[in-house]
Every structure is written in structure tokens, then in C-alpha cells.
Amino acid sequence: MKTIILIGANGKMGQAALTGLGKHKVITAGRSTDNYDFQVDITNEVSLRKLFKDVGHFDAVVNTVGVCEYANFTEMTEDQWMSTILSKMLGQINIVRIGQEYIADKGSFTLITGILNIKPIPFAIADATTSGAIDTFVQCVAHEMPRGIRVNSINPTVLEEAWDVYGDMMPGFQPVPGSLVGKAFERSVDGFITGKVLYVDAY
């Protein structure tokens, strides 16, 4: 049994991840103080360090959060870009950059991206760009990680459980069940792969 920090456990993607992590001890973290074991803001280095210190020993970190702003490229402001970059991109990079100081030997980090960097849709340029950046990050940083630490990303299409929210934005997409995405998280945490982007798509 591994001790896993799951960031964003209460969201749809967090719930999907949980389906694949059931045999482990899962410690939950999120921005709110409600229904999480610990509070964390991934855009804040002090907050991340506090989380890792407070948890103590852990074998894996699974992140399922990343704020993204949606707008037409010609109308998107610098503030909207920065909000997405600081959360979806730099926030996740910092999970690894800071977390590698605290995680157990041969531990793993699993980050979240999304299919829109492969199958773009209108208004999602920031989401697609930062997802692409994180997918590239894990493929490169895996070669530099110390102590046998692994890093992967999960790149899923839209979840069936979230289709009512995102379906209108994604015509022609086939949603997948959260339990299928959970298998990708399980493979990342329990396998030996590193530097991989695990795509979960219907076609």
C-alpha cells in the first residue's frame, strides 16, 4: 500500500482518479477547507511546501486540478493567460519541482492535461497550450529526476460525468467513463513507466 496525496479529489477528475487508487492510502488536498484532509493552493510555493511537510511520508502525488480561462484568442487578456499559466502549467511544474524534495525514493508524480492540445476547440487556446506544455514537461523532466522518481501525465478526453457541463463546447467528441480514466491514473502510480503521456480517448 502506498501513501498518495490526491489534489482535487472532490472534482470530477479527482473522483475518476480515486477509482484507480482504491487499494492505497489516499490523502486528499484542495483549495477549500471543506471535505479535504489538507488545504493547498498549487499556485503558491509556500502552500505546497506546507502540504508536503505536514503530510510527512508519501509515495506519490496525483494532481487533478488546474484553472483554465476560456475566451477567443483575439479577445483573451494577459490576466486570463496568466491565470491559466500560473495554475495549469507553473502550478503543476511546482508540484514536481518542490515535491521532489519531500517524496519518497522511487515515488511518482501524476499530472493532468487534456485532449484539447490534440483536438482543439474554439475558446480553449489557453487550456490547449498549457496542456501541451505539461505533456512536454513530463517527457523531458523524467530524464532529470533524482532517486528513481517518476513523472507522467494523464491526457483524457471529456468525462461522461462532466458531459452535461462541457458537451455543448465539444460537439463530435465521445466522452469516456471516469472509471476508464481511473485506470490511467492507476497505471501511472502502480506501474514503472515514466516520462509518458497517457491518453484516454474513445478514438
Side-chain angles (χ1 to χ4, degrees), residues 27-95:
I27 296 171
T28 63
R31 290 194 69 168
S32 72
T33 56
D34 297 330
N35 302 315
Y36 288 111
D37 297 320
F38 293 91
Q39 189 173 13
V40 69
D41 176 359
I42 68 169
T43 68
N44 185 292
E45 179 170 345
V46 173
S47 180
L48 280 168
R49 286 194 182 278
K50 186 177 188 307
L51 170 66
F52 297 140
K53 288 178 181 177
D54 288 349
V55 171
H57 174 87
F58 58 95
D59 303 290
V61 180
V62 172
N63 181 62
T64 63
V65 300
V67 173
C68 293
E69 298 280 352
Y70 292 85
N72 187 293
F73 172 68
T74 59
E75 299 171 355
M76 198 157 187
T77 66
E78 182 176 355
D79 285 346
Q80 287 177 304
W81 272 106
M82 288 307 298
S83 174
T84 305
I85 289 169
L86 288 173
S87 182
K88 186 85 179 264
M89 189 178 82
L90 284 178
Q92 295 203 90
I93 289 172
N94 280 339
I95 288 172

Side-chain angles (χ1 to χ4, degrees), residues 86-154:
L86 288 173
S87 182
K88 186 85 179 264
M89 189 178 82
L90 284 178
Q92 295 203 90
I93 289 172
N94 280 339
I95 288 172
V96 178
R97 181 179 67 85
I98 298 166
Q100 57 91 21
E101 299 176 21
Y102 301 91
I103 199 168
D105 290 354
K106 298 183 179 180
S108 70
F109 294 93
T110 305
L111 307 181
I112 189 69
T113 60
I115 207 67
L116 299 183
N117 67 319
I118 303 298
K119 298 180 178 180
I121 63 172
F123 305 107
I125 185 68
D127 189 343
T129 300
T130 50
S131 288
I134 291 299
D135 283 346
T136 300
F137 169 72
V138 301
Q139 292 173 80
C140 296
V141 79
H143 299 285
E144 300 189 35
M145 297 303 292
R147 301 187 289 112
I149 298 167
R150 300 181 297 108
V151 186
N152 299 296
S153 64
I154 309 300

Side-chain angles (χ1 to χ4, degrees), residues 1-2 20-25 186 190:
M1 178 183 291
K2 296 178 180 179
L21 305 176
K23 67 181 181 181
H24 298 296
K25 176 184 178 182
E186 182 180 9
D190 290 336

Side-chain angles (χ1 to χ4, degrees), residues 124-200:
I125 185 68
D127 189 343
T129 300
T130 50
S131 288
I134 291 299
D135 283 346
T136 300
F137 169 72
V138 301
Q139 292 173 80
C140 296
V141 79
H143 299 285
E144 300 189 35
M145 297 303 292
R147 301 187 289 112
I149 298 167
R150 300 181 297 108
V151 186
N152 299 296
S153 64
I154 309 300
N155 185 316
T157 191
V158 61
L159 299 176
E160 287 180 356
E161 293 83 351
W163 185 248
D164 59 332
V165 177
Y166 296 106
D168 288 344
M169 295 172 57
M170 305 176 73
F173 282 71
Q174 177 63 46
V176 297
S179 58
L180 184 62
V181 178
K183 292 293 185 184
F185 283 100
E186 182 180 9
R187 183 180 168 205
S188 177
V189 171
D190 290 336
F192 64 10
I193 59 172
T194 189
K196 300 300 183 183
V197 179
L198 302 182
Y199 296 97
V200 187

